[in-house]
Protein backbone atom coordinates (compact mmCIF):
# COMPACT_ATOMS: atom_id res chain seq x y z
CA UNK A 1 0.00 0.00 0.00
CA UNK A 2 1.46 3.40 -0.92
CA UNK A 3 2.00 5.62 2.05
CA UNK A 4 -0.64 8.33 2.14
CA UNK A 5 0.51 11.70 3.38
CA UNK A 6 -2.31 13.31 5.19
CA UNK A 7 -2.64 17.00 4.39
CA UNK A 8 -3.67 19.18 7.26
CA UNK A 9 -6.21 21.74 6.09
CA UNK A 10 -7.18 24.94 7.92
CA UNK A 11 -9.86 27.50 7.25
CA UNK A 12 -8.89 31.13 6.67
CA UNK A 13 -11.72 33.57 7.23
CA UNK A 14 -11.49 36.90 5.45
CA UNK A 15 -14.63 38.99 5.78
CA UNK A 16 -17.39 36.83 4.31
CA UNK A 17 -14.93 34.64 2.39
CA UNK A 18 -13.52 31.34 3.52
CA UNK A 19 -10.36 29.87 2.01
CA UNK A 20 -8.91 26.44 2.73
CA UNK A 21 -5.14 26.34 3.18
CA UNK A 22 -2.55 23.69 3.98
CA UNK A 23 0.61 23.80 6.05
CA UNK A 24 2.71 22.99 3.00
CA UNK A 25 3.17 26.56 1.76
CA UNK A 26 3.09 30.10 3.16
CA UNK A 27 -0.27 31.85 3.32
CA UNK A 28 0.46 34.44 0.59
CA UNK A 29 0.70 32.01 -2.36
CA UNK A 30 -2.40 30.16 -1.20
CA UNK A 31 -4.42 33.38 -0.93
CA UNK A 32 -3.24 34.41 -4.40
CA UNK A 33 -4.27 31.05 -5.80
CA UNK A 34 -7.71 31.65 -4.30
CA UNK A 35 -7.89 34.89 -6.28
CA UNK A 36 -7.30 37.25 -3.37
CA UNK A 37 -5.11 40.27 -4.06
CA UNK A 38 -2.48 40.70 -1.38
CA UNK A 39 0.19 43.40 -1.46
CA UNK A 40 3.74 42.14 -1.77
CA UNK A 41 7.24 43.21 -2.61
CA UNK A 42 10.09 40.97 -1.45
CA UNK A 43 8.14 37.77 -0.77
CA UNK A 44 10.85 36.69 1.64
CA UNK A 45 10.05 38.46 4.86
CA UNK A 46 12.03 41.70 4.88
CA UNK A 47 9.79 44.39 3.36
CA UNK A 48 6.57 43.95 5.43
CA UNK A 49 4.32 44.79 2.44
CA UNK A 50 2.23 41.65 2.95
CA UNK A 51 1.50 42.38 6.61
CA UNK A 52 -2.12 41.38 7.35
CA UNK A 53 -4.18 41.60 10.52
CA UNK A 54 -4.49 38.29 12.37
CA UNK A 55 -7.74 38.50 14.36
CA UNK A 56 -7.41 35.03 15.90
CA UNK A 57 -5.66 31.72 15.32
CA UNK A 58 -2.05 30.59 15.06
CA UNK A 59 0.67 30.94 12.46
CA UNK A 60 4.35 30.07 12.65
CA UNK A 61 7.44 31.21 10.77
CA UNK A 62 9.87 28.47 9.69
CA UNK A 63 12.49 31.25 9.41
CA UNK A 64 12.26 34.35 11.53
CA UNK A 65 11.41 37.21 9.13
CA UNK A 66 13.68 40.28 9.01
CA UNK A 67 10.72 42.63 9.03
CA UNK A 68 9.18 43.74 12.30
CA UNK A 69 5.86 41.93 12.77
CA UNK A 70 3.46 44.01 14.87
CA UNK A 71 1.54 42.06 17.47
CA UNK A 72 -1.83 41.11 16.02
CA UNK A 73 -0.42 40.94 12.48
CA UNK A 74 1.14 38.28 10.31
CA UNK A 75 3.50 38.37 7.35
CA UNK A 76 1.69 36.44 4.65
CA UNK A 77 4.75 35.67 2.49
CA UNK A 78 6.38 33.49 5.11
CA UNK A 79 3.66 32.57 7.64
CA UNK A 80 2.55 28.94 7.82
CA UNK A 81 -1.03 28.63 9.06
CA UNK A 82 -1.29 26.22 12.03
CA UNK A 83 -4.97 26.47 12.96
CA UNK A 84 -8.16 27.96 11.61
CA UNK A 85 -7.55 31.72 11.48
CA UNK A 86 -9.38 34.94 10.75
CA UNK A 87 -7.55 37.71 8.91
CA UNK A 88 -8.41 41.24 7.79
CA UNK A 89 -6.87 43.91 5.61
CA UNK A 90 -7.28 47.57 6.62
CA UNK A 91 -10.00 48.52 9.10
CA UNK B 1 30.36 64.18 26.14
CA UNK B 2 32.66 64.95 23.25
CA UNK B 3 32.88 62.20 20.63
CA UNK B 4 35.77 59.76 20.76
CA UNK B 5 36.65 57.50 17.83
CA UNK B 6 37.76 54.87 20.32
CA UNK B 7 36.11 55.10 23.70
CA UNK B 8 38.63 53.96 26.35
CA UNK B 9 36.01 52.99 28.92
CA UNK B 10 35.34 49.35 29.62
CA UNK B 11 31.61 48.59 29.41
CA UNK B 12 29.18 45.96 28.20
CA UNK B 13 27.73 47.30 24.95
CA UNK B 14 24.79 44.89 25.16
CA UNK B 15 23.58 46.98 28.12
CA UNK B 16 23.74 50.24 26.14
CA UNK B 17 20.77 51.79 24.34
CA UNK B 18 20.90 52.06 20.52
CA UNK B 19 21.73 55.77 20.73
CA UNK B 20 23.07 58.26 23.30
CA UNK B 21 24.78 55.65 25.45
CA UNK B 22 28.55 55.16 25.43
CA UNK B 23 30.43 55.91 22.21
CA UNK B 24 31.32 52.60 20.59
CA UNK B 25 34.86 51.30 20.89
CA UNK B 26 35.61 47.76 19.66
CA UNK B 27 33.73 46.89 16.46
CA UNK B 28 32.78 43.43 17.68
CA UNK B 29 29.82 41.35 16.62
CA UNK B 30 30.26 38.26 18.81
CA UNK B 31 27.78 39.65 21.29
CA UNK B 32 24.88 41.77 20.11
CA UNK B 33 22.04 43.57 21.76
CA UNK B 34 19.92 43.69 18.61
CA UNK B 35 21.08 40.94 16.19
CA UNK B 36 18.50 42.11 13.62
CA UNK B 37 20.91 44.84 12.50
CA UNK B 38 23.59 42.34 11.57
CA UNK B 39 20.98 40.35 9.65
CA UNK B 40 20.13 43.51 7.74
CA UNK B 41 23.84 44.05 7.00
CA UNK B 42 24.19 40.52 5.61
CA UNK B 43 21.09 40.93 3.48
CA UNK B 44 22.24 44.31 2.17
CA UNK B 45 25.65 42.91 1.24
CA UNK B 46 24.01 40.02 -0.62
CA UNK B 47 22.15 42.64 -2.68
CA UNK B 48 25.31 44.32 -3.96
CA UNK B 49 25.00 45.62 -7.52
CA UNK B 50 26.56 48.23 -9.80
CA UNK B 51 24.63 50.66 -12.01
CA UNK B 52 26.93 49.98 -14.97
CA UNK B 53 25.59 46.42 -15.13
CA UNK B 54 22.35 47.76 -16.55
CA UNK B 55 22.28 48.62 -20.24
CA UNK B 56 20.44 51.88 -20.98
CA UNK B 57 20.95 52.18 -24.73
CA UNK B 58 17.27 51.77 -25.63
CA UNK B 59 16.25 54.26 -22.93
CA UNK B 60 17.96 57.03 -24.88
CA UNK B 61 15.83 56.32 -27.93
CA UNK B 62 12.71 55.96 -25.78
CA UNK B 63 13.38 59.26 -24.07
CA UNK B 64 13.71 61.14 -27.36
CA UNK B 65 10.35 59.77 -28.47
CA UNK B 66 8.53 60.84 -25.29
CA UNK B 67 6.18 63.79 -25.53
CA UNK B 68 7.33 67.02 -23.86
CA UNK B 69 5.06 66.62 -20.83
CA UNK B 70 6.22 63.02 -20.41
CA UNK B 71 9.84 64.14 -20.51
CA UNK B 72 8.94 66.63 -17.78
CA UNK B 73 7.45 63.84 -15.65
CA UNK B 74 10.42 61.56 -16.20
CA UNK B 75 13.11 64.15 -15.55
CA UNK B 76 11.38 65.76 -12.56
CA UNK B 77 10.92 62.35 -10.98
CA UNK B 78 14.58 61.56 -11.59
CA UNK B 79 15.64 64.89 -10.06
CA UNK B 80 13.56 64.14 -6.99
CA UNK B 81 15.10 60.67 -6.67
CA UNK B 82 18.56 62.23 -7.02
CA UNK B 83 17.76 64.68 -4.23
CA UNK B 84 16.45 61.95 -1.91
CA UNK B 85 19.52 59.77 -2.36
CA UNK B 86 21.90 62.74 -2.06
CA UNK B 87 20.43 63.26 1.40
CA UNK B 88 20.36 59.58 2.29
CA UNK B 89 23.90 58.90 1.06
CA UNK B 90 25.34 61.10 3.76
CA UNK B 91 22.85 61.96 6.47
CA UNK B 92 22.57 58.67 8.36
CA UNK B 93 26.36 58.80 8.74
CA UNK B 94 26.61 62.46 9.72
CA UNK B 95 23.58 62.47 12.04
CA UNK B 96 23.60 59.01 13.57
CA UNK B 97 27.20 57.79 13.77
CA UNK B 98 28.25 60.34 16.43
CA UNK B 99 25.49 59.14 18.77
CA UNK B 100 25.24 55.40 18.10
CA UNK B 101 26.18 53.04 20.92
CA UNK B 102 25.96 49.53 19.46
CA UNK B 103 28.60 48.15 17.06
CA UNK B 104 26.06 46.17 15.00
CA UNK B 105 23.87 49.23 14.57
CA UNK B 106 26.85 51.44 13.73
CA UNK B 107 27.84 49.05 10.94
CA UNK B 108 24.25 48.82 9.70
CA UNK B 109 24.12 52.63 9.41
CA UNK B 110 27.34 52.64 7.39
CA UNK B 111 26.20 49.77 5.16
CA UNK B 112 22.81 51.45 4.65
CA UNK B 113 24.36 54.79 3.71
CA UNK B 114 26.84 53.12 1.38
CA UNK B 115 24.07 51.46 -0.57
CA UNK B 116 22.49 54.90 -1.09
CA UNK B 117 25.70 56.09 -2.74
CA UNK B 118 25.22 53.31 -5.32
CA UNK B 119 21.77 54.77 -5.98
CA UNK B 120 23.21 58.24 -6.44
CA UNK B 121 25.73 56.93 -8.94
CA UNK B 122 22.91 55.21 -10.83
CA UNK B 123 21.10 58.49 -11.39
CA UNK B 124 24.22 59.94 -12.99
CA UNK B 125 24.46 56.78 -15.11
CA UNK B 126 20.84 57.22 -16.21
CA UNK B 127 21.07 60.96 -16.86
CA UNK B 128 24.33 60.63 -18.80
CA UNK B 129 22.69 58.04 -21.00
CA UNK B 130 19.54 59.93 -21.88
CA UNK B 131 20.67 63.55 -22.31
CA UNK B 132 23.70 65.26 -23.81
CA UNK B 133 24.13 67.81 -21.04
CA UNK B 134 23.63 66.35 -17.52
CA UNK B 135 24.66 69.68 -15.96
CA UNK B 136 21.32 71.30 -16.78
CA UNK B 137 19.47 68.57 -14.93
CA UNK B 138 21.72 68.49 -11.86
CA UNK B 139 21.82 72.30 -11.59
CA UNK B 140 18.05 72.47 -11.60
CA UNK B 141 17.88 70.36 -8.43
CA UNK B 142 19.18 73.26 -6.33
CA UNK B 143 17.29 76.03 -8.14
CA UNK B 144 13.87 74.60 -9.08
CA UNK B 145 11.40 75.83 -6.45
CA UNK B 146 9.34 72.62 -6.46
CA UNK B 147 12.43 70.50 -5.82
CA UNK B 148 13.97 72.77 -3.19
CA UNK B 149 10.68 72.69 -1.27
CA UNK B 150 11.14 68.91 -1.15
CA UNK B 151 14.76 69.36 -0.04
CA UNK B 152 13.66 71.47 2.94
CA UNK B 153 11.20 68.90 4.19
CA UNK B 154 13.53 65.89 3.84
CA UNK B 155 16.50 67.54 5.55
CA UNK B 156 14.94 69.61 8.32
CA UNK B 157 14.87 66.88 11.01
CA UNK B 158 18.33 65.63 10.16
CA UNK B 159 19.74 69.16 10.29
CA UNK B 160 18.11 69.94 13.62
CA UNK B 161 19.46 66.75 15.18
CA UNK B 162 22.96 67.39 13.81
CA UNK B 163 22.93 70.94 15.17
CA UNK B 164 21.83 69.76 18.61
CA UNK B 165 24.38 66.93 18.74
CA UNK B 166 27.14 69.35 17.72
CA UNK B 167 26.17 71.63 20.59
CA UNK B 168 25.94 68.70 22.99
CA UNK B 169 29.42 67.50 21.98
CA UNK B 170 31.06 70.89 22.35
CA UNK B 171 29.07 72.57 25.14
CA UNK B 172 27.26 69.77 26.97
CA UNK B 173 23.81 70.27 28.47
CA UNK B 174 22.21 73.68 28.93
CA UNK B 175 20.56 76.49 27.03
CA UNK B 176 22.74 78.22 24.49
CA UNK B 177 22.27 81.45 22.60
CA UNK B 178 23.41 80.72 19.06
CA UNK B 179 23.97 83.79 16.85
CA UNK B 180 21.35 83.87 14.13
CA UNK B 181 19.46 80.91 15.62
CA UNK B 182 18.33 82.11 19.03
CA UNK B 183 18.22 80.00 22.17
CA UNK B 184 18.62 76.25 21.83
CA UNK B 185 18.03 73.98 24.81
CA UNK B 186 20.14 70.85 25.00
CA UNK B 187 18.97 68.13 27.35
CA UNK B 188 18.82 64.37 27.00
CA UNK B 189 15.02 64.30 26.51
CA UNK B 190 15.31 67.05 23.85
CA UNK B 191 18.09 65.18 22.06
CA UNK B 192 16.16 61.91 22.16
CA UNK B 193 13.04 63.59 20.87
CA UNK B 194 14.99 65.13 17.98
CA UNK B 195 16.38 61.67 17.22
CA UNK B 196 12.98 59.95 17.32
CA UNK B 197 11.45 62.53 14.97
CA UNK B 198 14.45 62.23 12.65
CA UNK B 199 14.11 58.44 12.37
CA UNK B 200 10.39 58.88 11.71
CA UNK B 201 11.08 61.39 8.95
CA UNK B 202 13.69 59.07 7.43
CA UNK B 203 11.12 56.29 7.46
CA UNK B 204 8.74 58.63 5.63
CA UNK B 205 11.47 59.46 3.12
CA UNK B 206 12.32 55.84 2.33
CA UNK B 207 8.96 54.15 2.80
CA UNK B 208 6.64 56.78 1.27
CA UNK B 209 8.47 59.41 -0.79
CA UNK B 210 10.66 56.88 -2.57
CA UNK B 211 7.73 54.61 -3.35
CA UNK B 212 5.81 57.46 -4.97
CA UNK B 213 8.80 58.06 -7.22
CA UNK B 214 9.07 54.32 -7.97
CA UNK B 215 5.43 54.35 -9.10
CA UNK B 216 6.32 57.00 -11.71
CA UNK B 217 9.38 55.12 -12.94
CA UNK B 218 7.40 51.90 -13.30
CA UNK B 219 4.53 53.79 -14.93
CA UNK B 220 6.80 54.30 -17.95
CA UNK B 221 7.96 50.69 -17.91
CA UNK B 222 4.33 49.49 -17.88
CA UNK B 223 4.16 51.03 -21.35
CA UNK B 224 7.46 49.29 -22.27
CA UNK B 225 9.28 52.63 -22.14
CA UNK B 226 12.48 53.44 -20.24
CA UNK B 227 12.91 49.82 -19.22
CA UNK B 228 16.61 50.08 -18.39
CA UNK B 229 15.70 52.82 -15.95
CA UNK B 230 13.02 50.55 -14.46
CA UNK B 231 15.59 47.79 -13.97
CA UNK B 232 17.78 50.16 -11.98
CA UNK B 233 14.81 51.42 -9.97
CA UNK B 234 13.89 47.82 -9.22
CA UNK B 235 17.31 47.26 -7.69
CA UNK B 236 16.99 50.51 -5.75
CA UNK B 237 13.52 49.49 -4.54
CA UNK B 238 14.89 46.20 -3.24
CA UNK B 239 17.47 48.12 -1.17
CA UNK B 240 14.90 50.63 0.06
CA UNK B 241 12.57 47.85 1.23
CA UNK B 242 15.39 46.71 3.49
CA UNK B 243 16.23 50.22 4.68
CA UNK B 244 12.64 50.96 5.63
CA UNK B 245 12.61 47.76 7.66
CA UNK B 246 15.70 49.12 9.44
CA UNK B 247 13.99 52.36 10.47
CA UNK B 248 10.79 50.49 11.37
CA UNK B 249 12.85 48.31 13.73
CA UNK B 250 14.50 51.37 15.28
CA UNK B 251 11.16 53.13 15.78
CA UNK B 252 9.40 50.05 17.13
CA UNK B 253 12.31 49.17 19.44
CA UNK B 254 12.33 52.72 20.76
CA UNK B 255 8.58 52.81 21.31
CA UNK B 256 8.54 49.39 22.97
CA UNK B 257 10.90 50.49 25.74
CA UNK B 258 12.90 47.29 25.23
CA UNK B 259 15.90 49.31 24.17
CA UNK B 260 15.75 52.45 26.31
CA UNK B 261 12.88 53.04 28.78
CA UNK B 262 13.30 56.85 28.53
CA UNK B 263 12.90 56.63 24.75
CA UNK B 264 9.57 54.80 25.17
CA UNK B 265 8.23 57.77 27.16
CA UNK B 266 9.41 60.19 24.48
CA UNK B 267 7.96 58.04 21.69
CA UNK B 268 4.58 58.05 23.44
CA UNK B 269 4.76 61.82 23.99
CA UNK B 270 5.46 62.63 20.37
CA UNK B 271 3.14 60.10 18.76
CA UNK B 272 0.93 62.88 17.50
CA UNK B 273 3.88 64.79 16.09
CA UNK B 274 5.00 61.65 14.24
CA UNK B 275 1.49 61.21 12.84
CA UNK B 276 1.68 64.77 11.57
CA UNK B 277 5.05 64.09 9.90
CA UNK B 278 3.43 61.24 7.96
CA UNK B 279 0.31 63.20 7.06
CA UNK B 280 2.20 66.35 6.01
CA UNK B 281 4.59 64.30 3.88
CA UNK B 282 1.63 62.66 2.17
CA UNK B 283 0.13 66.09 1.41
CA UNK B 284 3.48 67.27 0.03
CA UNK B 285 3.70 64.20 -2.17
CA UNK B 286 0.21 64.85 -3.51
CA UNK B 287 1.23 68.43 -4.33
CA UNK B 288 4.29 67.03 -6.06
CA UNK B 289 2.05 64.71 -8.10
CA UNK B 290 0.13 67.79 -9.30
CA UNK B 291 3.41 69.40 -10.37
CA UNK B 292 4.53 66.24 -12.21
CA UNK B 293 1.32 65.99 -14.20
CA UNK B 294 0.71 69.74 -14.62
CA UNK B 295 1.09 69.63 -18.42
CA UNK B 296 -0.66 66.31 -18.98
CA UNK B 297 -0.96 62.74 -17.75
CA UNK B 298 0.39 59.53 -19.13
CA UNK B 299 -1.49 56.32 -19.89
CA UNK B 300 -2.17 54.55 -16.62
CA UNK B 301 -0.97 57.31 -14.31
CA UNK B 302 -2.19 60.79 -13.45
CA UNK B 303 -2.13 63.13 -10.44
CA UNK B 304 -5.31 61.64 -9.01
CA UNK B 305 -4.19 58.02 -9.19
CA UNK B 306 -0.73 58.86 -7.84
CA UNK B 307 -2.40 60.86 -5.05
CA UNK B 308 -4.47 57.81 -4.10
CA UNK B 309 -1.31 55.71 -4.05
CA UNK B 310 0.30 58.28 -1.72
CA UNK B 311 -2.65 57.91 0.66
CA UNK B 312 -2.61 54.14 0.43
CA UNK B 313 1.12 53.71 1.01
CA UNK B 314 1.05 56.24 3.86
CA UNK B 315 -1.64 54.16 5.59
CA UNK B 316 0.49 51.01 5.16
CA UNK B 317 3.58 52.67 6.61
CA UNK B 318 1.70 54.25 9.52
CA UNK B 319 0.25 50.89 10.45
CA UNK B 320 3.72 49.30 10.33
CA UNK B 321 4.93 51.47 13.19
CA UNK B 322 1.78 51.09 15.25
CA UNK B 323 0.04 54.33 14.23
CA UNK B 324 -3.61 54.47 13.30
CA UNK B 325 -4.15 54.92 9.58
CA UNK B 326 -5.25 58.37 8.43
CA UNK B 327 -6.54 58.24 4.87
CA UNK B 328 -9.68 56.73 3.40
CA UNK B 329 -7.88 54.90 0.59
CA UNK B 330 -7.68 51.28 1.74
CA UNK B 331 -6.80 49.65 -1.58
CA UNK B 332 -3.79 50.01 -3.80
CA UNK B 333 -4.95 51.96 -6.89
CA UNK B 334 -1.95 50.69 -8.89
CA UNK B 335 -1.73 46.98 -8.03
CA UNK B 336 0.55 46.43 -11.06
CA UNK B 337 3.37 48.10 -9.10
CA UNK B 338 3.92 44.89 -7.10
CA UNK B 339 5.04 42.97 -10.17
CA UNK B 340 7.71 45.65 -10.67
CA UNK B 341 8.68 45.88 -7.03
CA UNK B 342 9.08 42.13 -6.56
CA UNK B 343 12.73 41.38 -6.10
CA UNK B 344 13.07 37.77 -7.06
CA UNK B 345 13.17 38.27 -10.78
CA UNK B 346 15.56 41.20 -10.72
CA UNK B 347 17.82 40.35 -13.60
CA UNK B 348 20.76 42.52 -14.48
CA UNK B 349 22.98 40.70 -16.94
CA UNK B 350 21.20 38.13 -19.14
CA UNK B 351 23.44 35.29 -17.92
CA UNK B 352 22.74 35.95 -14.30
CA UNK B 353 19.22 35.76 -12.92
CA UNK B 354 19.87 37.55 -9.69
CA UNK B 355 17.92 36.09 -6.85
CA UNK B 356 17.82 38.62 -4.06
CA UNK B 357 18.96 36.10 -1.49
CA UNK B 358 21.85 35.02 -3.71
CA UNK B 359 25.12 34.85 -1.83
CA UNK B 360 28.42 34.24 -3.58
CA UNK B 361 30.22 31.12 -2.34
CA UNK B 362 27.32 30.12 -0.15
CA UNK B 363 27.44 26.32 -0.11
CA UNK B 364 25.82 23.86 2.17
CA UNK B 365 28.37 21.50 3.64
CA UNK B 366 26.00 19.43 5.70
CA UNK B 367 24.74 16.85 3.23
CA UNK B 368 23.50 13.37 3.89
CA UNK B 369 21.91 10.68 1.76
CA UNK B 370 18.41 11.98 2.33
CA UNK B 371 19.27 15.18 0.45
CA UNK B 372 19.38 13.11 -2.75
CA UNK B 373 16.01 11.46 -2.21
CA UNK B 374 14.25 13.56 -4.83
CA UNK B 375 16.95 12.99 -7.47
CA UNK B 376 15.89 10.87 -10.42
CA UNK B 377 18.35 9.72 -13.07
Amino acid sequence: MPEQKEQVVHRVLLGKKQILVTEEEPLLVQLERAGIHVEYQCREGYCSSCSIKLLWGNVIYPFEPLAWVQSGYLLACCAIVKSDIEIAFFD
Amino acid sequence: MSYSTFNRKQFDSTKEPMFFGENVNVARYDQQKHPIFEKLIEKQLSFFWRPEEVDLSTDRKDFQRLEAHEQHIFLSNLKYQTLLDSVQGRSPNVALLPIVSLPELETWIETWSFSETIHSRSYTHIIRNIVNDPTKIFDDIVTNAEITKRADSVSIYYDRLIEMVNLYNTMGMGTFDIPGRGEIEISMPKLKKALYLTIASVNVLEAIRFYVSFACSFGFAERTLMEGNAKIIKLIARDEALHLTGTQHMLNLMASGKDDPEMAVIAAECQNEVRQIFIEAAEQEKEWANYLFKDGSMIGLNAQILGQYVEYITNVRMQAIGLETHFATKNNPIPWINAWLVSDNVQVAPQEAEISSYLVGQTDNSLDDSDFDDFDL
Side-chain angles (χ1 to χ4, degrees):
Chain A
M1 277 254 301
E3 208 180 303
Q4 268 209 332
K5 208 173 162 188
E6 215 175 297
Q7 264 199 343
V8 188
V9 176
H10 303 295
R11 284 181 305 168
V12 176
L13 303 175
L14 171 63
K16 289 186 177 124
K17 286 187 197 132
Q18 177 180 304
I19 305 109
L20 295 177
V21 300
T22 70
E23 297 185 3
E24 305 299 306
E25 290 173 299
L27 178 59
L28 176 62
V29 281
Q30 303 195 66
L31 288 178
E32 286 174 335
R33 222 173 282 135
I36 291 166
H37 174 82
V38 185
E39 285 297 304
Y40 64 83
Q41 180 176 349
C42 74
R43 304 180 77 95
E44 53 175 307
Y46 65 82
C47 77
S48 77
S49 294
C50 62
S51 170
I52 301 176
K53 228 172 223 171
L54 175 62
L55 301 175
W56 52 263
N58 298 321
V59 298
I60 59 151
Y61 299 96
F63 302 95
E64 200 192 327
L66 257 59
W68 180 286
V69 187
Q70 292 284 1
S71 79
Y73 286 82
L74 60 78
L75 270 194
C77 72
C78 43
I80 301 289
V81 178
K82 289 305 250 186
S83 72
D84 288 355
I85 62 171
E86 182 167 4
I87 57 172
F89 295 118
F90 280 120
D91 302 331
Chain B
M1 199 174 19
S2 99
Y3 182 77
S4 164
T5 49
F6 194 82
N7 186 355
R8 301 305 163 88
K9 272 191 225 159
Q10 200 181 7
F11 60 92
D12 179 355
S13 72
T14 65
K15 304 273 191 304
E16 294 299 309
M18 291 189 286
F19 298 98
F20 290 118
E22 287 289 343
N23 287 149
V24 273
N25 49 29
V26 182
R28 58 184 290 183
Y29 313 95
D30 59 322
Q31 47 181 43
Q32 297 176 24
K33 185 173 185 192
H34 299 305
I36 179 65
F37 294 112
E38 197 188 29
K39 290 184 189 151
L40 293 175
I41 295 165
E42 282 169 1
K43 198 74 177 166
Q44 183 67 71
L45 293 178
S46 79
F47 286 172
F48 183 78
W49 58 281
R50 282 163 299 164
E52 296 76 16
E53 290 165 15
V54 180
D55 175 36
L56 293 168
S57 50
T58 51
D59 287 48
R60 189 183 182 87
K61 288 180 220 139
D62 285 349
F63 183 75
Q64 282 156 358
R65 279 200 295 262
L66 292 181
E67 288 180 40
H69 75 274
E70 292 175 320
Q71 288 190 345
H72 162 78
I73 297 168
F74 186 84
L75 287 181
S76 304
N77 191 48
L78 198 51
K79 287 174 198 167
Y80 187 29
Q81 290 170 330
T82 309
L83 164 75
L84 294 181
D85 269 313
S86 302
V87 172
Q88 275 308 95
R90 66 177 69 97
S91 313
N93 286 343
V94 181
L96 305 178
L97 291 184
I99 54 174
V100 71
S101 299
L102 307 176
E104 67 273 21
L105 180 54
E106 179 186 44
T107 308
W108 165 244
I109 292 164
E110 290 166 327
T111 309
W112 166 24
S113 250
F114 167 64
S115 94
E116 310 282 16
T117 66
I118 298 175
H119 305 175
S120 294
R121 291 184 53 257
S122 327
Y123 302 131
T124 299
H125 179 56
I126 296 165
I127 293 169
R128 254 194 214 135
N129 269 279
I130 58 168
V131 297
N132 294 326
D133 185 10
T135 309
K136 268 198 278 185
I137 293 174
F138 286 119
D139 285 353
D140 191 48
I141 297 174
V142 282
T143 51
N144 179 314
E146 286 298 326
I147 310 254
T148 52
K149 252 204 305 204
R150 305 270 80 85
D152 288 341
S153 39
V154 297
S155 56
I156 181 169
Y157 289 97
Y158 269 134
D159 291 352
R160 194 177 299 160
L161 175 66
I162 291 166
E163 178 179 56
M164 289 175 72
V165 170
N166 282 344
L167 276 173
Y168 169 62
N169 277 335
T170 47
M171 313 288 282
M173 306 291 189
T175 303
F176 308 101
D177 193 16
I178 307 301
R181 300 279 289 107
E183 290 208 329
I184 299 180
E185 187 197 332
I186 305 296
S187 65
M188 202 33 86
K190 293 265 182 216
L191 285 164
K192 287 185 176 175
K193 184 179 175 185
L195 169 66
Y196 190 73
L197 297 180
T198 300
I199 304 289
S201 103
V202 179
N203 185 249
V204 164
L205 190 164
E206 297 192 309
I208 299 173
R209 297 184 195 272
F210 261 127
Y211 277 71
V212 177
S213 83
F214 297 156
C216 290
S217 306
F218 296 139
F220 285 94
E222 271 287 289
R223 297 163 52 205
T224 66
L225 293 169
M226 312 305 288
E227 287 180 301
N229 177 71
K231 256 184 198 175
I232 287 187
I233 296 301
K234 210 168 163 155
L235 290 159
I236 292 177
R238 184 179 63 176
D239 291 337
E240 292 308 331
L242 197 62
H243 302 170
L244 73 89
T245 288
T247 45
Q248 282 173 356
H249 271 280
M250 288 179 217
L251 290 169
N252 287 326
L253 279 169
M254 286 170 176
S256 73
K258 278 184 218 153
D259 178 68
D260 174 0
E262 197 182 16
M263 204 61 180
V265 178
I266 287 160
E269 275 171 9
C270 51
Q271 203 192 48
N272 221 15
E273 230 168 304
V274 169
R275 274 185 73 79
Q276 283 313 311
I277 291 177
F278 276 78
I279 295 163
E280 270 167 37
E283 296 305 335
Q284 290 164 356
E285 290 301 311
K286 285 197 267 182
E287 252 176 62
W288 174 249
N290 287 329
Y291 169 73
L292 282 182
F293 297 101
K294 68 182 170 61
D295 301 323
S297 311
M298 43 194 264
I299 300 166
L301 208 56
N302 57 37
Q304 198 195 352
I305 297 174
L306 195 58
Q308 284 167 357
Y309 181 67
V310 170
E311 295 190 348
Y312 169 77
I313 198 82
T314 305
N315 277 345
V316 172
R317 303 317 189 192
M318 289 178 86
Q319 192 179 56
I321 58 161
L323 295 174
E324 260 181 59
T325 57
H326 177 76
F327 295 102
T329 311
K330 306 290 187 200
N331 292 307
N332 186 351
I334 47 168
W336 48 260
I337 196 175
N338 294 329
W340 288 102
L341 285 171
V342 71
S343 325
D344 263 340
N345 52 2
V346 172
Q347 192 178 335
V348 268
Q351 71 274 20
E352 156 195 319
E354 191 173 299
I355 301 162
S356 54
S357 53
Y358 176 77
L359 290 167
V360 178
Q362 183 85 335
T363 54
D364 189 353
N365 286 331
S366 56
L367 277 180
D368 63 43
D369 289 346
S370 69
D371 289 313
F372 296 98
D373 282 353
D374 51 357
F375 266 63
D376 259 337
L377 288 177

